[in-house]
Amino acid sequence: MKGFNSSSYFLLILFTSSLISTIRSQNLPKCDALQLAQFECNKMEVNRDTGELVGCNVNNTVTQSCYPLDKVECNGDRNFTRQIQCFYTNGYSYSKTLGLSVFLGYFGVDRFYLGYPTIGLLKLMTFGGFLVGNWIDIILIATQTVGPADGSYYVVGLNGPRFTKISMSNSTYLIPEDKGY
């Protein structure tokens, strides 16, 4: 072949390799869309007083910094963040609320503490809703159906009882039962 010297071959190889790497990088997933086993995240700090993650927002999420593993290739910034679920607390203690409901709920102290002054006044004037309302409140607070008025979760500590609501909707997947035959 006339007209091709070593520098032409070098340029051809360089162009081909850059073209291949460009095509290859277009097929790579984005770094923030990697599978769980393909990246690691920095450890989150836990608040010793509340037992929840430090930095938990009102929308019950916290931002965590992550990065792909060494041999994983991806497009975009190799340092990315993801939102993980947490339980936002605003200082309302579960055990204190339950104690207030059992011992002083007849006077509405539990509802005042949670931020429901109207119901607290009603319980105060009717001696706990004629005793029946107080027993209902004890059950509602014990099952964490009634929480703080600001929408936050109770502070339950590291190993305390945490009740979460499980709901089913049209977007819930139902796994069919295996009949075995």
Side-chain angles (χ1 to χ4, degrees), residues 7-72:
S7 63
S8 298
Y9 281 118
F10 176 73
L11 288 174
L12 181 64
I13 290 171
L14 185 64
F15 175 74
T16 307
S17 66
S18 68
L19 183 64
I20 289 172
S21 71
T22 303
I23 292 170
R24 209 169 136 218
S25 69
Q26 290 175 350
N27 294 332
L28 292 175
K30 292 180 109 182
C31 289
D32 58 358
L34 291 173
Q35 301 294 322
L36 283 176
Q38 296 176 323
F39 65 89
E40 288 182 342
C41 296
N42 297 332
K43 290 190 177 194
M44 301 295 296
E45 186 180 345
V46 175
N47 185 330
R48 291 184 119 349
D49 295 331
T50 64
E52 295 301 329
L53 297 174
V54 173
C56 187
N57 299 323
V58 178
N59 62 354
N60 295 319
T61 59
V62 65
T63 303
Q64 186 177 30
S65 299
C66 302
Y67 52 90
L69 296 175
D70 289 335
K71 300 198 183 221
V72 175

Side-chain angles (χ1 to χ4, degrees), residues 90-159:
N90 205 6
Y92 294 98
S93 169
Y94 172 71
S95 56
K96 184 187 290 185
T97 305
L98 191 58
L100 287 173
S101 183
V102 169
F103 297 111
L104 298 173
Y106 300 110
F107 305 112
V109 176
D110 54 348
R111 290 298 187 136
F112 283 116
Y113 174 72
L114 289 175
Y116 301 103
T118 307
I119 299 174
L121 277 173
L122 184 67
K123 284 178 71 175
L124 177 64
M125 292 186 293
T126 61
F127 193 64
F130 306 109
L131 303 178
V132 175
N134 188 52
W135 286 104
I136 291 171
D137 264 0
I138 290 172
I139 293 169
L140 291 176
I141 290 171
T143 59
Q144 297 179 11
T145 304
V146 171
D150 63 0
S152 64
Y153 286 85
Y154 288 113
V155 174
V156 294
L158 290 174
N159 297 318

